[in-house]
Amino acid sequence: MQEVTKTHHLILAGQASAPVFGDRDRLGQVLTNLLINAIKYSPRADQVYIRVATEQARVIVSVQDFGIGIADTPHAHLFERFYRASDTEVNTYPGLGIGLYISREIITRHQGDIWFESRKGEGSTFSFALPLQIL
């Protein structure tokens, strides 16, 4: 993904050497979507952090940007199909409003969870957790 952007440095922090069961391509699609969103919605920042950790029998992956952030909209709506935040600044960026919906569907079908934290003007962190594969 670093080759996709010349404006942002992608920084990987942490590691998890625990196995999860899932579709590599679909989970890659989720990570790609979160990274593209982080880059797109942080035009004046130059770093995006990807954090990986193992916690309570789950692997957690987080993508943090330092961009425009998301106003206090009902957070549940952000993962709805075709939902676009009503903030005029957000609407200046192209998109159909299906990337987060698809990401949630993929993570849910892997028995995982997806969520985010955000502050307007400070950036966002989108995270997903997947259960560890029990051997």
Side-chain angles (χ1 to χ4, degrees):
M1 281 299 299
Q2 184 62 64
E3 294 176 15
V4 172
T5 179
K6 300 205 182 326
T7 58
H8 291 72
H9 183 73
L10 304 180
I11 301 167
L12 179 61
Q15 65 180 24
S17 59
V20 296
F21 181 76
D23 183 323
R24 177 188 304 261
D25 293 332
R26 294 295 67 81
L27 294 173
Q29 182 179 358
V30 171
L31 188 56
T32 298
N33 181 56
L34 296 181
L35 287 169
I36 288 171
N37 282 352
I39 293 165
K40 177 168 59 171
Y41 293 109
S42 60
R44 292 181 286 283
D46 62 355
Q47 296 180 335
V48 172
Y49 281 88
I50 303 109
R51 291 186 174 84
V52 181
T54 304
E55 180 181 299
Q56 299 178 357
R58 304 184 313 166
V59 170
I60 300 174
V61 178
S62 299
V63 175
Q64 179 184 15
D65 69 58
F66 303 93
I68 64 173
I70 302 167
D72 293 332
T73 60
H75 286 191
H77 292 303
L78 206 60
F79 294 101
E80 291 177 1
R81 186 179 355 196
F82 304 122
Y83 180 80
R84 299 273 298 163
S86 60
D87 188 325
T88 56
E89 186 175 13
V90 171
N91 286 327
T92 63
Y93 299 95
L96 298 175
I98 60 171
L100 291 175
Y101 167 77
I102 291 170
S103 295
R104 184 191 67 189
E105 287 297 310
I106 292 169
I107 295 301
T108 300
R109 291 176 188 206
H110 282 82
Q111 285 76 50
D113 297 305
I114 187 167
W115 67 95
F116 74 97
E117 299 172 8
S118 185
R119 293 186 66 139
K120 182 82 174 141
E122 296 180 21
S124 303
T125 301
F126 282 80
S127 304
F128 63 89
L130 298 170
L132 295 177
Q133 181 179 3
I134 299 173
L135 303 174

